[in-house]
Amino acid sequence: MSLFAIIGLTTSCGPKTGNERSYNAGINIIPMPAELQQQEGNFTLKNGATFYASTPEAKKVAEFFIKKLQQPTGYTFKQAEGEGNDGITLTLDANLALNEEGYQMTVTADQVKITAKAANGLFYGMQTLLQLLPAEVESPELVKNIAWTAPCVTISDEPRF
């Protein structure tokens, strides 16, 4: 093995802190949403963040993702009784001009708001949010030294097929 290969392996496999991991750089959503506009800033998921769900169906989606996010972050999340100006909001709107699996998402520095016509659209919107967070969000164990941030974006998506 050449000296350059050894140097490359040791520098790429060394300890990292925060969001320095190259695979966490940029927006990597699969499949790419129909419409995506990146904005300035980041949303930071914090311990004690609230989830607001507008209906019992939306509440089930929120509960699923609360459990999923608790594992890697170690955070405790709360379900709010009303929509606030921070945290994550899941809203169903039967008049939304998207199909049953479509959603609209707005991520600002203070809030993530996902609106869909049906609960499965909220589920897909939350899947997209997971892809905006560091890849370690998929870990079944607590991950330390990660900034749990997502870039500020506006997304509108629905299946094309």
Side-chain angles (χ1 to χ4, degrees):
M1 188 180 292
S2 76
L3 178 61
F4 295 112
I6 293 170
I7 292 171
L9 282 174
T10 58
T11 58
S12 66
C13 297
K16 306 254 182 188
T17 60
N19 256 349
E20 296 172 13
R21 294 162 178 93
S22 61
Y23 56 80
N24 282 332
I27 296 177
N28 302 301
I29 301 172
I30 298 173
M32 185 58 91
E35 295 176 31
L36 182 148
Q37 294 179 325
Q38 188 167 0
Q39 313 295 327
E40 290 292 320
N42 292 295
F43 169 80
T44 301
L45 187 62
K46 298 175 185 162
N47 191 25
T50 60
F51 276 74
Y52 167 70
S54 65
T55 66
E57 296 88 358
K59 193 172 191 174
K60 286 180 184 177
V61 174
E63 289 168 353
F64 176 83
F65 283 98
I66 285 171
K67 287 179 187 173
K68 182 160 181 57
L69 288 167
Q70 284 175 333
Q71 291 174 342
T73 64
Y75 293 169
T76 301
F77 301 102
K78 303 175 207 166
Q79 288 204 5
E81 294 300 317
E83 186 175 356
N85 293 328
D86 60 357
I88 298 173
T89 299
L90 304 176
T91 306
L92 289 176
D93 180 356
N95 298 318
L96 195 63
L98 295 172
N99 66 34
E100 298 284 315
E101 296 177 348
Y103 64 92
Q104 293 177 335
M105 177 191 303
T106 303
V107 179
T108 67
D110 300 318
Q111 179 182 42
V112 174
K113 186 168 187 172
I114 301 172
T115 305
K117 187 180 276 189
N120 48 348
L122 292 177
F123 180 85
Y124 292 127
M126 284 299 299
Q127 289 290 348
T128 298
L129 177 61
L130 291 179
Q131 291 186 58
L132 291 171
L133 290 166
E136 289 79 4
V137 76
E138 294 297 333
S139 175
E141 300 173 359
L142 177 64
V143 180
K144 295 183 179 181
N145 300 320
I146 292 288
W148 297 107
T149 61
C152 294
V153 292
T154 303
I155 295 174
S156 182
D157 194 26
E158 63 185 335
R160 294 180 261 306
F161 301 104

